[in-house]
Amino acid sequence: MKQSKAFYYIPYGLWIGLFVIAPVVLIVYQSFFSVSGHFTLGNYANYFHSGVYLKMTFNSVWYAFLITALTLLISYPTAYLLNQLRHKQLWLLLIILPTWINLLLKTYAFIGLLSRGGSVDNFLSIVGIGPKQLLFTDASFLFVATYIEIPFMILPIYNAIAELSPSYVNASRDLGASSWQTFSRVIFPLTLDGVKSGVQAVFIPSLSLFMITRLIGGNRVITLGTAIEQHFLVTQNWGMGSTIGVVLIVAMLITMLLTGERRKKRRTNHAK
Amino acid sequence: MQNKLSGWSRAYLIIVFIILYTPILFLVLYSFSKGNTMSNFHGFTMAHYQTLFNDPRLLQIVLDTLIIALLSSLCATVVGTAGALGIYETRHRSVRQTVLSLNNILMVSPDVIIGASFLIFFTMLGIRLGFISVLLSHIAFSIPIVVLLVLPKLNEMNASMIDAAADLGANPWQTLTRVILPAIMPGIFSGFFMAFTYSLDDFAVTFFVTGNGFSTLSVEIYSRARQGVDLEINALSALWFLVSLLLIAGYYFLNQYNQGRKTKRREVGAIIK
């Protein structure tokens, strides 16, 4: 038994050491180096003093918040109504299905839909709102990000509602609660855990989006993810990029603390 | 509570489904359109599919993407299963928890962080960016999901089977291959499948570690999309959509089959989540 355990831990432990611990250590380590390769605290000083980075972080959090709020607003009723359907498992599968389509392809579809002379633009012209610049606006960025995140929010909420025993709802009705009271005092508090995991599953990725910000948002909104990508791959200032990375990790930890429970990667929820 | 939805609720759900599916159907529809933009359907043609199949560069990228997905998910399944077995045999509670937390770090980290830190890692080790770095990254981020899918199957397994095997004189290798692995096979399959789709889906991590010479489909679509609409991509996405559908159907039926076997064995209702 002992031997086999050691045998199992050789490849797996190697993975943990090389691909889990080492990269985290490296990104923290790298954040203390300037472009010229000298040890410095300058990146952090720069981050906290220049104002640009703080503003960008604030902006990124604000947009992630908007995306999460919008997603929640759309997803909660959807999850609730789905639970009322016959064949609800099948309908849920249909909600999840789009998440299996490559993210890039969905984004690409929106470029076609929203671009000048694209279908949505034409439709707006027909109804008389007139041709409008849709692509590369904040609104389109919010819309597409929300679109992409919706299934990840619906899923945990759906599961929470499915686990809710209908007798609570019936009891509340029998005791004379109005529909709104039943919802706000019984249903919502009891499904709060689902909402929390949904928020976790949407908020953290929204902070680190970087592809949609460019393709759909036209880099008008700079998220933490975009900033990291720019520093690493465009300006080659890895130290500053790592510093923002450390900030993103901290933001992630705070989100996880606030929403309780460890978040599993979104897919695991429906992989069972 | 069955199907007594009011008209408004029904309309709401219908709208949500329409929004979810419009972009996808739109892509597929325009892959058959004459013309060069995704506006005004110009009549049916298969020309974009022809261009696609006559584009050796793109086909090579598709092939590379599939090879990466297949190799990485195979390796991840082997390492992940070993990891799950290791964790299963770890009796010490706190050690077990620590290993599990370490396992989950890559699951919760944003892709950008994974990509950036791997980039630093490969550069420091002097590994040239390209096929190898992409493959290693994909293996790395797929391992935890395999562990998470195999571990519950191990915990569900009746532990006295292992003792029985040992009592009957099986050596550890025989116990592993004849008793343990068959019992956790469904978990291993799900793990492999999830690893495969993770790899196919990944954009952010690959984007960081891919370097110049090598490209996967996601990265290629990204660079083409920056130049605007190209209906060849639509044709490609239609095919990709079809493949995803087949994969999901396969996975779904595999699950159903496993659930069915379980139900038969234990006569308890299958819980599908």
Side-chain angles (χ1 to χ4, degrees):
Chain A
M1 224 40 174
K2 270 270 146 60
Q3 276 170 335
S4 61
K5 196 167 95 186
F7 175 68
Y8 297 141
Y9 268 120
I10 291 172
Y12 185 63
L14 212 62
W15 168 74
I16 289 187
L18 288 178
F19 288 99
V20 179
I21 298 174
V24 176
V25 173
L26 280 176
I27 206 166
V28 176
Y29 175 78
Q30 185 79 50
S31 72
F32 291 108
F33 282 88
S34 65
V35 192
S36 48
H38 294 296
F39 181 85
T40 174
L41 286 170
N43 293 324
Y44 286 95
N46 196 0
Y47 178 85
F48 285 106
H49 288 299
S50 77
V52 180
Y53 288 106
L54 285 178
K55 199 168 157 236
M56 182 268 299
T57 308
F58 176 76
N59 240 326
S60 182
V61 171
W62 170 241
Y63 273 94
F65 168 77
L66 283 181
I67 293 166
T68 314
L70 270 175
T71 315
L72 181 61
L73 212 64
I74 297 169
S75 301
Y76 199 98
T78 312
Y80 183 78
L81 293 172
L82 278 177
N83 259 294
Q84 320 267 314
L85 292 174
R86 221 178 289 151
H87 306 303
K88 50 184 182 175
Q89 289 296 343
L90 184 71
W91 289 109
L92 184 67
L93 196 71
L94 284 176
I95 291 275
I96 296 166
L97 193 69
T99 67
W100 296 78
I101 313 284
N102 192 290
L103 179 64
L104 264 297
L105 289 180
K106 284 184 285 191
T107 312
Y108 171 74
F110 277 107
I111 296 177
L113 273 165
L114 298 174
S115 61
R116 269 282 160 101
S119 300
V120 177
D121 200 21
N122 285 345
F123 175 77
L124 286 180
S125 308
I126 293 167
V127 275
I129 303 174
K132 275 226 159 67
Q133 175 69 32
L134 296 165
L135 205 60
F136 306 143
T137 59
D138 295 359
S140 65
F141 166 66
L142 279 179
F143 180 80
V144 175
T146 307
Y147 168 86
I148 285 172
E149 301 293 353
I150 279 179
F152 301 114
M153 182 68 94
I154 291 182
L155 199 70
I157 298 179
Y158 171 92
N159 285 335
I161 296 178
E163 277 164 23
L164 175 75
S165 160
S167 44
Y168 288 122
V169 179
N170 293 336
S172 151
R173 293 250 165 79
D174 288 347
L175 292 168
S178 67
S179 301
W180 171 246
Q181 282 171 325
T182 309
F183 175 76
S184 62
R185 300 278 182 87
V186 180
I187 301 178
F188 190 73
L190 284 174
T191 52
L192 199 59
D193 275 346
V195 174
K196 279 181 178 174
S197 14
V199 167
Q200 226 178 63
V202 170
F203 190 79
I204 299 172
S206 301
L207 276 179
S208 51
L209 286 173
F210 74 90
M211 178 266 303
I212 301 171
T213 51
R214 177 164 311 139
L215 292 183
I216 303 288
N219 267 2
R220 292 166 51 86
V221 183
I222 309 282
T223 60
L224 290 173
T226 321
I228 295 172
E229 185 255 341
Q230 293 281 331
H231 278 109
F232 268 91
L233 301 175
V234 183
T235 61
Q236 299 280 333
N237 185 351
W238 288 15
M240 197 62 222
S242 301
T243 306
I244 302 170
V246 173
V247 171
L248 180 55
I249 293 174
V250 172
M252 178 186 95
L253 293 177
I254 294 174
T255 316
M256 283 164 66
L257 274 179
L258 287 179
T259 49
E261 287 186 321
R262 211 183 296 115
R263 161 183 168 250
K264 290 187 192 146
K265 190 120 179 176
R266 328 195 262 188
R267 278 281 177 72
T268 50
N269 286 324
H270 56 87
K272 283 184 241 173
Chain B
M1 295 238 287
Q2 301 244 304
N3 266 12
K4 49 171 187 187
L5 291 186
S6 70
W8 286 110
S9 313
R10 214 173 268 267
Y12 182 79
L13 274 186
I14 291 172
I15 290 174
V16 169
F17 272 102
I18 289 178
I19 292 178
L20 275 181
Y21 279 92
T22 303
I24 298 162
L25 298 178
F26 181 81
L27 271 184
V28 176
L29 176 73
Y30 274 99
S31 71
F32 297 109
S33 166
K34 288 176 187 159
N36 291 315
T37 56
M38 279 196 262
S39 57
N40 303 323
F41 196 81
H42 291 291
F44 182 85
T45 176
M46 290 296 275
H48 304 300
Y49 288 88
Q50 267 171 5
T51 340
L52 173 65
F53 284 110
N54 288 322
D55 185 343
R57 184 183 138 77
L58 198 58
L59 291 182
Q60 182 61 44
I61 289 172
V62 172
L63 192 67
D64 285 343
T65 310
L66 288 175
I67 290 173
I68 289 274
L70 203 61
L71 280 180
S72 71
S73 49
L74 275 174
C75 296
T77 309
V78 173
V79 180
T81 307
L85 285 164
I87 294 173
Y88 176 71
E89 289 189 2
T90 305
R91 291 281 163 259
H92 215 293
R93 228 213 164 118
S94 55
V95 177
R96 214 181 143 118
Q97 272 312 318
T98 314
V99 176
L100 267 176
S101 312
L102 285 173
N103 183 67
N104 291 348
I105 287 185
L106 283 190
M107 303 237 69
V108 295
S109 311
D111 293 346
V112 185
I113 297 288
I114 301 179
S117 59
F118 282 9
L119 176 61
I120 302 175
F121 177 68
F122 289 132
T123 314
M124 286 209 169
L125 284 185
I127 295 176
R128 217 165 53 86
L129 298 182
F131 181 81
I132 295 292
S133 63
V134 173
L135 180 65
L136 284 174
S137 312
H138 281 218
I139 295 172
F141 69 64
S142 303
I143 287 174
I145 181 67
V146 178
V147 174
L148 287 184
L149 288 172
V150 173
L151 202 54
K153 296 287 169 214
L154 276 168
N155 291 330
E156 272 174 29
M157 184 180 68
N158 190 346
S160 46
M161 288 204 308
I162 299 172
D163 299 333
D167 287 347
L168 293 168
N171 62 33
W173 176 250
Q174 284 170 326
T175 315
L176 176 68
T177 52
R178 304 273 178 88
V179 180
I180 302 178
L181 286 184
I184 60 171
M185 224 19 148
I188 297 179
F189 269 124
S190 317
F192 172 74
F193 180 82
M194 289 313 291
F196 192 76
T197 56
Y198 268 27
S199 171
L200 280 187
D201 264 359
D202 179 69
F203 164 71
V205 178
T206 314
F207 189 68
F208 272 90
V209 298
T210 190
N212 281 327
F214 185 75
S215 187
T216 65
L217 213 43
S218 300
V219 176
E220 177 69 11
I221 294 170
Y222 176 74
S223 54
R224 289 200 184 194
R226 291 181 70 175
Q227 286 144 31
V229 167
D230 176 357
L231 292 187
E232 191 185 345
I233 298 292
N234 287 56
L236 185 65
S237 52
L239 292 177
W240 190 312
F241 182 52
L242 203 69
V243 173
S244 323
L245 275 182
L246 289 176
L247 276 174
I248 299 159
Y251 181 69
Y252 185 72
F253 284 116
L254 191 76
N255 253 355
Q256 292 283 319
Y257 172 73
N258 285 328
Q259 297 284 357
R261 272 202 333 196
K262 216 189 278 172
T263 325
K264 254 188 231 158
R265 241 187 300 160
R266 298 196 201 152
E267 301 196 358
V268 284
I271 310 145
I272 315 159
K273 268 195 181 169

